[in-house]
Amino acid sequence: VSTGYAKVNMKLRMLYVLFAAMTAITAGLAGCKPAPPPAATPAAPASNAAPAADVKPAPSVTEITLGTAIGMDKKVTAPATTFAKSDQVYAAVELTGSGSASVAAKWSRNNDGKFSAVSEAREEVTANGSAVSTFNAGTGESLTPGSYQVEVFLNGKSAGTRSFTVK
């Protein structure tokens, strides 16, 4: 009978030792600090989104100049607002920005405060920082003496008007 009691007693002692060891390990682990979570990394930009530094403004009209002559750069070299019958009448439209745009010029004659269209022209432009569109109303001979204006449009919206006189 004593051997059965010794076997049970031995199992209890082993369980007690095992329990004590587990308690010691658990207590030891409780004193350790867990590793800090990894630092958050910023999300990568979407693959189709351009970096902010590469975003360039769309073309916009910065200057409309009238004159009698243009240079190789398409800019007016002889500005004027009054033209003789022998003068060519040019309008140079300077743009800044990047991308494609439609630039148009509508030439009109002032008839006692009412403007009637003389001619219209349109040009498709691709600007990469800057561009110039040049329009020609013809010579003063093709325009009767009087007051005129040219209205410039950028992508269908008015971008400015310049008045001039043919003598």
Side-chain angles (χ1 to χ4, degrees), residues 70-75 77:
I70 56 171
M72 295 297 289
D73 60 358
K74 299 172 102 181
K75 293 181 180 180
T77 57

Side-chain angles (χ1 to χ4, degrees), residues 12-28:
L12 284 174
R13 282 186 188 183
M14 288 183 74
L15 280 174
Y16 176 74
V17 169
L18 183 62
F19 179 74
M22 293 288 280
T23 303
I25 291 172
T26 304

